[in-house]
Amino acid sequence: MSNIVSINAQNLQQVLGETSQQKLVLLNFHSPQSPECISQIGILENLATQYKDHIVVANLDCDVEQALASQLAQQVGLQTLPTLVLLKDSAPVDLLAGVQTDAQIREALSKHLPAQQDLLLEQAKQALLKSDLNAAFNYAKQAYEIDSANARIKLVLADICIQIHKLDDAQALIDTIDAQEQDAYFHNIKAKCEAALEATDSPEINEKQSQVEKHPNDLDLKTELSQLLNDAGRKEEALETLFSVLKKDLNFNDAKASFLAIIASLPDGDALAAKYRRKLYSILY
């Protein structure tokens, strides 16, 4: 079921009764003839997308449903359009009369919904269940930016960092967890990080690094080392090694494609990706 509905006499009881027992209902009294109402509907649709698991936007067209609108208007004390009534457990909990900005509506929602960082953390967990690591990282990172002291947020973000091979970031997050917050989940994440860090320093990598040191102009050896580093999650070293190849020969074998593939494997907005895109552009143009 969509969380944007049009209210009429047939679905009124279900939405304002049953649905409001499960989610916060935003009953929107509006008229399609009013530019202000149309503008506010756009804001509500955006919020419905962001809070799809927590709110339902119930639009009541006062031009079409005149009798119903008149009946409800008397109950809530409606005086102007648009008017937004927030309902929870079948009862009004807030009323916003007149045109509201996005910030004003969000402030009202914040009184009746979980904190924004908690919503983002839940979205990160849901993305993890779907193996969407990019979305999970972005949600968890946003939650961390809002509440960087929250141990649960830090551990979920650390877990995601381990899975996307940002091990230094994961270790830095784990190191900030206070002793009294080091529960079973903490020890699980810590163990995962330690195992992942151990795996990054394999005999194969050490051997290949020795070969590269002996033959610094052998581009094949460097691309092979880059692949091993990337497989071990050492993405920055892999990119730097490939960049040294591209500086020598921009068209060497699949070096450029491999370089771009590593960048593409990083989360959206990752600083490392931006850094090495700039470095590539510096030799392309």
Side-chain angles (χ1 to χ4, degrees), residues 52-72:
K52 62 182 179 180
D53 295 326
H54 299 274
I55 71 172
V56 169
V57 173
N59 292 314
L60 177 57
D61 185 333
C62 296
D63 295 342
V64 173
E65 303 288 344
Q66 293 183 15
L68 182 59
S70 177
Q71 174 190 341
L72 292 175

Side-chain angles (χ1 to χ4, degrees), residues 32 99 124 169 275:
V99 180
D169 289 351
K275 173 184 176 181

Side-chain angles (χ1 to χ4, degrees), residues 28-223:
N28 178 38
F29 290 85
H30 74 100
S31 167
Q33 308 303 317
S34 165
E36 293 83 0
C37 290
I38 293 171
S39 174
Q40 184 155 298
I41 282 181
I43 294 173
L44 294 174
E45 289 176 345
N46 181 52
L47 291 170
T49 300
Q50 293 184 33
Y51 296 95
K52 62 182 179 180
D53 295 326
H54 299 274
I55 71 172
V56 169
V57 173
N59 292 314
L60 177 57
D61 185 333
C62 296
D63 295 342
V64 173
E65 303 288 344
Q66 293 183 15
L68 182 59
S70 177
Q71 174 190 341
L72 292 175
Q74 293 179 12
Q75 296 178 21
V76 301
L78 179 71
Q79 296 182 341
T80 185
L81 294 179
T83 287
L84 196 62
V85 180
L86 278 57
L87 298 108
K88 195 171 186 179
D89 296 328
S90 305
V93 292
D94 211 341
L95 185 147
L96 306 176
V99 180
Q100 305 292 313
T101 65
D102 178 83
Q104 288 172 319
I105 298 174
R106 286 180 186 275
E107 182 180 357
L109 293 180
S110 70
K111 301 172 187 176
H112 309 287
L113 294 177
Q116 181 67 11
Q117 62 266 32
D118 294 332
L119 294 174
L120 288 165
L121 182 61
E122 184 58 33
Q123 289 176 299
K125 291 177 180 178
Q126 292 301 317
L128 267 180
L129 290 175
K130 298 174 184 176
S131 299
D132 187 348
L133 294 176
N134 184 58
F137 176 80
N138 284 316
Y139 286 135
K141 188 170 182 289
Q142 290 177 60
Y144 177 73
E145 288 168 353
I146 294 171
D147 186 0
S148 60
N150 187 304
R152 187 59 48 172
I153 291 174
K154 288 191 281 190
L155 288 172
V156 170
L157 181 56
D159 191 5
I160 298 166
C161 285
I162 293 167
Q163 295 186 55
I164 61 176
H165 300 296
K166 294 175 71 69
L167 301 181
D168 289 341
D169 289 351
Q171 187 63 64
L173 288 163
I174 290 167
D175 289 343
T176 65
I177 304 296
D178 294 335
Q180 65 269 24
E181 296 175 312
Q182 294 180 8
D183 57 8
Y185 184 51
F186 164 83
H187 291 293
N188 176 263
I189 299 304
K190 182 180 179 183
K192 284 173 66 174
C193 189
E194 289 173 349
L197 285 167
E198 288 177 9
T200 64
D201 196 23
S202 68
E204 292 81 6
I205 291 176
N206 293 332
E207 173 61 26
K208 193 66 67 177
Q209 285 175 326
S210 297
Q211 293 176 17
V212 168
E213 289 174 5
K214 292 176 183 177
H215 308 284
N217 295 317
D218 190 324
L219 302 187
D220 281 312
L221 283 176
K222 286 190 172 183
T223 55

